[in-house]
Amino acid sequence: MEDDGNGSNSTVVDTAKAERSVWLMKCPLVVSKSWQAQAAASSSSSVSDSPPASKVVVSLDPLRPDDSLQFTMEMAGTGSDTGNMPKSYSLNMFKDFVPMCIFSETNQGRVAAEGKVEHKFDLKPHNENMEEYRKMCRERTNKSMVKNRQIQVIDNDRGVHMRPMPGMVGLIASNSKDKKKAAPVKGSDVKRTRRDRGELEDIMFKLFERQPNWALKQLVQETDQPAQFLKEILNELCVYNKRGTNQGTYELKPEYKKSVEDTGAE
């Protein structure tokens, strides 16, 4: 950014390299990280001493110059960061793409045109290295899914900062002007396992031998069964009292009540 003297800023773009041919390539993350590691390692040395990051090989059949053009790339990095990364890749060239230019910007705000995109490629490992590359991707995914939990020991085991001091609860409650209503305590949402239907029917008959009328909530507590499953059996065995002294309770149907009484007499 430069001041033009009138108090307004204008951006000056360096176009010295605007006509330079540039290749645009989409590459796997592991390749990009390998290049970044090499660039960081060689940043202290001069450009002439920096080793090449990779080598691109262009193959051409003289008899078919238009159809036989092939690009391959060989990685030059052999550091520990590459691990089992494949070294050979195929560059699939796109024939049709939107014309593009490459720009760069420094931390000081200097903008420069780096060139025009001449070729666009999609980088992928060779077929013989594809299984090795898939294995590396699976290992990377599994490693990212591992949660590293840590246990930290608290030096102050008295817990002074973790609980209110004696007498502070009542003091805060009495002086507080904006009292929040206590949230209602919800019942246990423990998932209950269904019993065998015949076994549960036997349990139900024994319960109705003990007393003739039961509320649904009482039966859920006694049998430890899901309420919906219990309702299905109650609708087959029992009558629901909608009014009277036993309102809101279930009692056995007459035909089942008689069989229960006969069983008790025996």
Side-chain angles (χ1 to χ4, degrees), residues 1-11:
M1 304 292 289
E2 294 182 359
D3 191 351
D4 59 2
N6 297 325
S8 61
N9 294 330
S10 60
T11 302

Side-chain angles (χ1 to χ4, degrees), residues 151-163:
I151 299 176
Q152 183 178 3
V153 180
I154 301 176
D155 296 333
N156 183 7
D157 57 354
R158 295 177 298 172
V160 176
H161 302 290
M162 301 174 62
R163 64 172 182 264

Side-chain angles (χ1 to χ4, degrees), residues 145-152:
M145 295 175 64
V146 175
K147 297 181 179 180
N148 297 323
R149 294 185 173 89
Q150 296 181 352
I151 299 176
Q152 183 178 3

Side-chain angles (χ1 to χ4, degrees), residues 17-38:
K17 301 178 182 178
E19 298 299 324
R20 184 176 59 170
S21 296
V22 179
W23 289 8
L24 181 63
M25 182 177 65
K26 180 181 179 182
C27 64
L29 181 62
V30 65
V31 176
S32 176
K33 287 186 175 181
S34 176
W35 285 342
Q36 292 175 2
Q38 287 184 263

